[in-house]
Amino acid sequence: MKSLVTGASGFLGSAVMRCLLSAGHDVRILVRPHSDRRNFENLAAEIFEGDLRDHQSLKNAIHGCDNLFHVAADYRLWVPDPATMYDINVNGTQALIIAAAEAGLKRIVYTSSVATLGVNNDGSSTDENTPSDLTMMTGHYKRSKFISEQIVKQLTDQHQLPLVIVNPSTPIGPRDIRPTPTGRIVVDTLLGKMPAYVNTGLNIAHVDDIAQGHLLAYERGRLGERYILGGDNMTLLQILQIIDEINGKPCHRINLPINVMLPIAWIMEKIALIKNTEPRATIDSINMARKIMFFSSEKASRELGYHHRPATEALSDAVEWFKKNNYCN
């Protein structure tokens, strides 16, 4: 049973790859020729070079495989060239799923995101049935993932694909080599670069638990369904305070209104364009913070047997990994 995994050089994709290898899958990974290979060094996975923007390489990678775990995505909250993000997240996903349909794969697990879901205005937890539409999506990442999920649903219905969608919340843990926007929050907190916060909330889950949820979706998921793979709902202040506690360095922070943060983010984006760097705060990320992003994994728990460890363990593992790998010097 050979499974193709996309995104194995990244944070979540590498965790899914490791989970499948542990479960006895014969794993092939699709990676770009110049990808950082630290996350799959010395692992028994077949390496296949390709790119989501090279559609022929996707067909070649799928050939000989039984299953597909499409985890790869361009996950950035700020992009100077949004067209690249849509080419990867939307066009690349569509081409890959069509190739999988043509190859007659036995099982497909598509990694979407809770970013595609609606958010309840009262701060209560969103589930898979909370209404959402494209107009509710803030920023190019959310919009691209929403569009790609809609395309995946249409292709699944059109071709009667053996496909299950998973919607991970906010993964935290080891091997976040880039790091992701959420991992950057951990690193900046450890470096003392988070003196302020806004009133918002996230759902924090250990990356390895979310990876296990992918395996459960493969084994037990109902075809055509989607499952939130999440963890604990926490305010941003709670997250920062737990990181402080783990680090042994308590910090007093000030609460900044979102309208105060917006011009600061605008300035950071302008500086990033000049320096060709990634801004620490973006207009989209601040606007996203207007909504409390709490989610429920009850459906995945009930139907898949999914469970998650406490968020404090995820944060502790992330802090340990970032320190061990010299991100905090």
Side-chain angles (χ1 to χ4, degrees):
M1 189 70 71
K2 177 168 285 190
S3 296
L4 175 66
V5 179
T6 68
S9 63
F11 182 36
L12 179 55
S14 68
V16 171
M17 169 192 62
R18 290 167 183 267
C19 181
L20 295 178
L21 288 170
S22 296
H25 283 236
D26 183 7
V27 176
R28 174 185 291 173
I29 58 176
L30 178 70
V31 297
R32 289 172 295 179
H34 303 295
S35 290
D36 189 324
R37 304 199 169 199
R38 284 177 289 172
N39 271 343
F40 52 85
E41 280 181 338
N42 304 317
L43 295 179
E46 178 189 359
I47 300 171
F48 192 101
E49 292 188 349
D51 194 303
L52 285 171
R53 292 167 291 184
D54 178 357
H55 297 177
Q56 184 59 48
S57 75
L58 305 182
K59 295 180 180 181
N60 296 341
I62 282 175
H63 180 72
C65 291
D66 303 290
N67 312 302
L68 168 65
F69 291 79
H70 179 32
V71 190
D74 187 346
Y75 173 32
R76 292 177 290 168
L77 299 184
W78 181 79
V79 282
D81 179 18
T84 300
M85 178 172 283
Y86 288 95
D87 204 17
I88 293 170
N89 292 353
V90 178
N91 299 334
T93 292
Q94 181 177 30
L96 182 62
I97 299 302
I98 290 174
E102 292 174 347
L105 297 194
K106 297 177 181 177
R107 196 72 155 180
I108 304 168
V109 177
Y110 167 63
T111 307
S112 183
S113 168
V114 292
T116 68
L117 305 176
V119 177
N120 295 322
N121 293 328
D122 62 0
S124 59
S125 296
T126 286
D127 64 20
E128 290 83 355
N129 296 318
T130 304
S132 65
D133 59 54
L134 186 59
T135 63
M136 300 168 61
M137 301 294 112
T138 301
H140 293 294
Y141 173 70
K142 280 195 170 189
R143 285 195 284 271
S144 68
K145 290 298 286 184
F146 182 89
I147 294 169
S148 62
E149 184 180 296
Q150 295 305 306
I151 289 173
V152 168
K153 288 178 180 178
Q154 292 168 6
L155 291 172
T156 299
D157 293 341
Q158 180 181 347
H159 297 281
Q160 296 296 298
L161 298 179
L163 185 146
V164 179
I165 297 173
V166 291
N167 299 78
S169 62
T170 306
I172 289 286
R175 301 181 300 275
D176 190 358
I177 59 177
R178 199 173 66 186
T180 59
T182 314
R184 174 53 59 186
I185 291 175
V186 178
V187 172
D188 284 348
T189 304
L190 295 173
L191 291 172
K193 295 181 179 180
M194 293 289 288
Y197 68 97
V198 295
N199 289 324
T200 192
L202 300 169
N203 182 281
I204 300 294
H206 198 293
V207 67
D208 292 336
D209 292 340
I210 294 177
Q212 183 67 24
H214 281 68
L215 178 61
L216 292 170
Y218 162 80
E219 294 174 340
R220 306 176 187 177
R222 287 189 289 136
L223 301 185
E225 292 291 317
R226 63 177 177 176
Y227 298 91
I228 295 173
L229 304 178
D232 292 338
N233 293 318
M234 306 174 69
T235 66
L236 177 58
L237 179 58
Q238 288 174 325
I239 294 168
L240 300 178
Q241 289 174 334
I242 288 175
I243 296 171
D244 289 341
E245 184 178 339
I246 294 168
N247 196 33
K249 295 181 179 179
C251 177
H252 176 71
R253 294 183 173 84
I254 60 172
N255 175 225
L256 289 179
I258 286 177
N259 288 340
V260 173
M261 285 296 299
L262 281 172
I264 297 174
W266 183 86
I267 293 171
M268 287 183 174
E269 288 191 8
K270 297 303 179 184
I271 294 173
L273 282 173
I274 295 170
K275 293 186 174 182
N276 194 29
T277 58
E278 192 167 342
R280 287 180 52 227
T282 69
I283 293 173
D284 284 344
S285 66
I286 300 303
N287 280 324
M288 286 179 195
R290 294 182 185 276
K291 297 181 179 179
I292 305 296
M293 293 168 279
F294 287 169
F295 301 93
S296 169
S297 301
E298 194 277 331
K299 179 181 177 181
S301 298
R302 183 179 69 252
E303 296 191 12
L304 306 181
Y306 173 77
H307 69 274
H308 62 86
R309 71 198 79 181
T312 52
E313 291 187 25
L315 290 166
S316 180
D317 284 355
V319 168
E320 180 183 357
W321 189 87
F322 283 128
K323 284 187 170 182
K324 182 179 179 180
N325 288 273
N326 302 315
Y327 282 75
C328 306
N329 296 338

